[in-house]
């Protein structure tokens, strides 16, 4: 038993309450990741959960414990999308009126899904933090019950049911890697895993992953208390939280073994790798555990589980991320090549690229570029390559032929 407000018994009670609502999501053995880590590596597929993310668990358990009087007042929440959908779905199942504040520019699929579950959606504020303030003001004004996205014991316990499933499905697990925003997910999972493992007389490492652009936990753990950090721009909007929660922080401080951060290219590469290797669609925030593995930031010592926490992604954003992932993986390169303005130069470059196996995607041939003389042109050409080594071969071949390519993006 731990000394915190969330215990294994609390999480087991949540699991019983979620029966028939939240799915026991699959564990998938990831051969590609296993080859990289050298140990059996699995993915916990919460992206296949109802509403598309783990958030359904905490929201449902929190709402299920409201009194009849609280249910009659309705609930209010703030979210970029996943918590919104979880609250809206749970409220519909329980017959509770729900109002959700979502930031301006929230992903359209998440916005439409939240409305589809019957919630009243208000789009306002630039960030989730702005929406939290608006939701709190709404609660004070109307009496609606505020359903916090991560900083409540019942929400933490609901998310912790994932830890019970991991321990049941991978009994020999030694490392669990979890995406972290406000911390409700990893706090609950850490309680479930640490207490279950302790009862078995062993230890399991729990590692948190945050986006480098919005990593509040490393700074807070160093300070010894929750601190706010500048919330930078990140494609992992679902975990872009500026300040840890008062309830989540002590659990994470005491139970989580390690934190790592991943940059935007790491995240994009992970989304692309998961899509290609497993045919699963995962949103950027849901892919950061795999990003940490691909970036070599985690060194597992035994069977490892990486949590894919959500799969709700705007198709247009997915298109952009795939492109960024190709660049980050060395699979796409744009070159700027100055050429003398005489016939045959473009054909010579195209022939050379074909001989080294680079597939031409796009070509721009222009005489209008700063720094050019009247006898020069510039060829900007985008090519598909097989990785960083192949890109080096392409550049070497061009230079050996007398050209001077500059990499525009790589």
């Amino acid at each position: 038993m731990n000394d915190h407000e969330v215990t294994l018994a609390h999480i087991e009670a949540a699991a019983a309450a979620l029966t028939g609502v939240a799915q026991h999501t699959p564990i998938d053995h990831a051969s590609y990741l296993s080859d990289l880590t050298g140990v059996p590596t699995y993915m916990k597929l919460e992206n296949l959960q109802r509403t598309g993310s783990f958030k359904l668990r905490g929201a449902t358990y929190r709402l299920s414990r409201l009194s009849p009087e609280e249910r009659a007042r309705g609930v209010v929440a703030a979210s970029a999308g996943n918590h919104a959908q979880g609250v809206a779905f749970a409220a519909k199942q329980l017959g509770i009126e729900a109002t959700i504040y979502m930031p301006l520019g929230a992903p359209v699929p998440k916005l439409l899904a939240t409305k589809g579950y019957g919630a009243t959606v208000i789009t306002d504020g630039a960030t989730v933090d702005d929406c939290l303030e608006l939701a709190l003001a709404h609660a004070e004004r109307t009496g609606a019950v505020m359903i916090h996205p991560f900083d409540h014991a019942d929400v933490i316990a609901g998310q912790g049911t994932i830890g019970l499933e991991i321990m049941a499905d991978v009994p020999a697990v030694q490392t669990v890697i979890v995406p972290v925003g406000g911390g409700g997910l990893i706090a609950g999972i850490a309680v479930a895993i640490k207490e279950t493992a302790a009862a078995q007389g062993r230890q399991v490492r729990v590692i948190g992953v945050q986006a480098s652009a919005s990593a509040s936990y490393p700074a807070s753990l160093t300070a010894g208390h929750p601190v706010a950090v500048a919330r930078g721009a990140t494609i992992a909007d679902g975990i872009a939280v500026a300040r840890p929660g008062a309830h989540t922080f002590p659990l994470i401080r005491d139970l989580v073994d390690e934190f790592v951060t991943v940059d935007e290219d790491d995240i994009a590469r992970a989304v692309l790798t998961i899509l290609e290797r497993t045919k699963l669609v995962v949103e950027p925030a849901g892919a950061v555990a795999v990003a940490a593995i691909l970036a070599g930031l985690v060194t597992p010592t035994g069977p490892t589980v990486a949590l894919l926490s959500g799969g709700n992604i705007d198709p247009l954003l997915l298109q952009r991320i795939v492109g960024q992932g190709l660049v980050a993986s060395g699979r796409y390169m744009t070159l700027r090549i100055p050429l003398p303005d005489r016939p045959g130069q473009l054909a010579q470059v195209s022939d050379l690229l074909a001989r080294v196996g680079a597939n031409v995607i796009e070509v721009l041939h222009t005489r209008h570029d700063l720094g050019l003389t009247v006898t020069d042109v510039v060829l900007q050409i985008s090519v598909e390559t097989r990785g960083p080594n192949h890109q080096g071969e392409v550049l070497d071949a061009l230079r050996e032929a007398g050209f001077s390519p500059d990499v525009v993006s790589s």
Side-chain angles (χ1 to χ4, degrees):
M1 181 69 67
N2 67 55
D3 296 325
H4 296 287
E5 62 181 329
V6 180
T7 66
L8 181 60
H10 195 176
I11 294 170
E12 290 171 339
L18 294 178
T19 301
V21 180
Q23 298 173 342
H24 183 130
T25 51
I27 290 276
D28 182 51
H29 179 256
S31 300
Y32 177 68
L33 296 180
S34 298
D35 290 342
L36 284 178
T37 61
V39 298
T41 302
Y42 305 84
M43 297 185 299
K44 173 65 169 170
L45 307 184
E46 276 298 289
N47 59 308
L48 301 183
Q49 183 59 261
R50 297 173 76 172
T51 75
S53 91
F54 73 95
K55 289 286 191 177
L56 174 69
R57 297 174 184 260
T60 298
Y61 187 53
R62 172 81 171 94
L63 266 65
S64 73
R65 287 169 59 82
L66 296 178
S67 68
E69 185 272 334
E70 288 173 320
R71 295 187 185 198
R73 285 156 44 196
V75 298
V76 61
S79 168
N82 287 339
H83 179 60
Q85 291 175 76
V87 171
F89 183 90
K92 184 177 182 179
Q93 298 299 305
L94 296 169
I96 301 172
E97 290 189 8
T99 300
I100 314 291
Y101 284 83
M102 300 181 73
L104 296 167
V108 174
K110 295 180 179 181
L111 183 68
L112 295 177
T114 303
K115 290 181 177 179
Y117 292 131
T120 298
V121 176
I122 300 173
T123 53
D124 197 358
T127 68
V128 175
D129 294 320
D130 293 338
C131 290
L132 279 170
E133 292 181 7
L134 291 166
L136 286 167
H138 177 99
E140 292 176 1
R141 185 172 64 252
T142 66
V145 179
M146 176 68 184
I147 307 299
H148 199 280
F150 56 85
D151 207 25
H152 190 280
D154 290 339
V155 172
I156 295 168
Q159 321 304 25
T161 58
I162 295 171
L164 299 181
E165 294 176 11
I166 290 172
M167 294 299 285
D169 295 343
V170 189
V173 65
Q174 291 187 22
T175 303
V176 179
I177 311 170
V178 184
V180 181
L185 175 63
I186 196 170
I189 287 175
V191 171
I193 285 177
K194 293 290 186 175
E195 289 201 33
T196 302
Q200 298 170 355
R202 65 191 190 92
Q203 295 183 341
V204 177
R205 293 167 66 215
V206 178
I207 299 173
V209 187
Q210 291 203 287
S212 299
S214 189
S216 59
Y217 270 95
S220 296
L221 291 168
T222 298
H225 57 85
V227 298
V229 298
R231 186 181 180 275
T234 175
I235 55 175
D237 63 295
I239 56 172
V241 177
R243 183 186 179 92
H247 296 271
T248 58
F249 180 79
L251 287 162
I252 290 168
R253 177 197 61 207
D254 295 346
L255 299 175
V256 175
D257 297 278
E258 182 182 349
F259 266 88
V260 298
T261 61
V262 290
D263 64 25
E264 300 301 287
D265 282 349
D266 294 331
I267 299 169
R269 184 164 53 243
V271 171
L272 176 63
T273 299
I274 294 167
L275 182 63
E276 286 191 315
R277 295 282 180 164
T278 68
K279 317 309 175 194
L280 293 168
V281 175
V282 179
E283 63 189 277
V288 296
V290 171
I293 294 174
L294 295 177
L297 300 173
V298 176
T299 306
T301 55
T304 296
V305 174
L307 176 63
L308 307 186
S309 58
N312 295 315
I313 184 169
D314 187 320
L316 292 176
L317 177 60
L318 178 60
Q319 182 182 30
R320 290 165 51 199
I321 289 172
V322 167
Q324 184 177 346
L326 288 170
V327 171
S329 301
R331 305 263 299 281
Y332 186 90
M333 177 170 61
T334 299
L335 302 170
R336 182 182 181 276
I337 309 173
L339 301 172
D341 190 10
R342 60 172 182 261
Q345 293 294 294
L346 176 57
Q348 186 179 349
V349 171
S350 297
D351 180 65
L352 189 152
L353 292 172
R355 282 189 276 118
V356 295
N359 184 35
V360 175
I361 304 298
E362 188 174 25
V363 176
L364 172 64
H365 185 273
T366 181
R367 293 177 174 82
H368 308 293
D369 197 78
L370 291 176
L372 289 179
T373 69
V374 294
T375 59
D376 291 333
V377 297
V378 163
L379 177 66
Q380 184 164 302
I381 187 163
S382 298
V383 295
E384 181 183 14
T385 52
R386 297 188 296 272
N389 291 337
H390 187 215
Q391 288 186 346
E393 294 173 16
V394 171
L395 292 169
D396 288 344
L398 286 167
R399 288 166 182 149
E400 288 171 7
F403 298 104
S404 300
D406 289 323
V407 178
V408 177
S409 59
S410 61

